[in-house]
Amino acid sequence: MSRWDSYRAVYGAELRAAAREYADHGWPLIPGTGTDVLLATGEVLDIVEVPAELGRRVCATLRDRGLVVPVAATTNDTWWFPMTAGFGLPPEVSMHADVVLHTDGIGVVAPPSERPDGWVHWRVAPGLTGYAVPEAAFVIDAVTAAVRWRAAGGDAQPGAQRPAAAVARGARYRS
């Protein structure tokens, strides 16, 4: 077996395992090409996608409120957040072309899908949150706060969201 064939076999196994894991936890899938895992939106969950800059702010806002939610990063320098379906975007947010709500059966490429320029990957894996789909109101409220923050000129960049357990572990190693 060539090195490339070996890579493809391992990657295929990772995709199948991720798809099974999503399905086992009630996250709906759409059949993909075999090289992607696609989450189905509109019934169980919707996904809001924002530029990475806003994603960091959304994570900081959620973290400040004691919430840790799944977060994926794409190769387009965007982050997406799953949330309960059917909420919609408020007008204040929907007028921003770089904030996109995926709903109504749209398939969203999920980790560990490979794109031509990299990988879709988890910033916060859903396993760390028990695969709980966060309430849309909390996520959209944080997105709205991030949009307002950007409109006001922003400030120092917040850190990426880290699960509380990881933060606690990291605190032990700091000098």
Side-chain angles (χ1 to χ4, degrees):
M1 179 182 283
S2 77
R3 191 172 183 188
W4 179 251
D5 291 336
S6 175
Y7 161 78
R8 282 288 163 216
V10 169
Y11 177 60
E14 284 183 33
L15 283 173
R16 288 187 300 278
R20 268 192 309 275
E21 194 169 336
Y22 298 145
D24 287 350
H25 289 90
W27 289 32
L29 299 170
I30 294 175
T33 63
T35 60
D36 290 331
V37 175
L38 298 174
L39 291 174
T41 60
E43 290 185 24
V44 173
L45 57 82
D46 285 340
I47 292 175
V48 62
E49 186 172 355
V50 299
E53 170 195 24
L54 288 182
R56 284 186 285 279
R57 177 54 59 172
V58 169
C59 287
T61 299
L62 291 168
R63 184 179 57 242
D64 288 347
R65 295 174 183 171
L67 299 170
V68 177
V69 304
V71 182
T74 73
T75 59
N76 307 6
D77 203 29
T78 62
W79 289 13
W80 60 251
F81 300 81
M83 60 186 189
T84 54
F87 195 80
L89 294 176
E92 175 182 6
V93 174
S94 64
M95 64 187 231
H96 294 270
D98 59 354
V99 177
V100 179
L101 177 63
H102 301 284
T103 189
D104 298 330
I106 300 295
V108 176
V109 178
S113 298
E114 183 179 16
R115 311 296 342 144
D117 51 351
W119 298 86
V120 178
H121 63 278
W122 289 112
R123 300 286 302 180
V124 177
L128 296 173
T129 66
Y131 279 85
V133 177
E135 287 295 323
F138 297 128
V139 175
I140 295 301
D141 185 55
V143 170
T144 302
V147 167
R148 289 176 182 159
W149 166 82
R150 182 175 64 183
D155 57 8
Q157 284 294 319
Q161 181 179 11
R162 298 285 184 242
V167 171
R169 278 194 311 270
R172 290 188 302 200
Y173 299 110
R174 290 192 184 124
S175 48

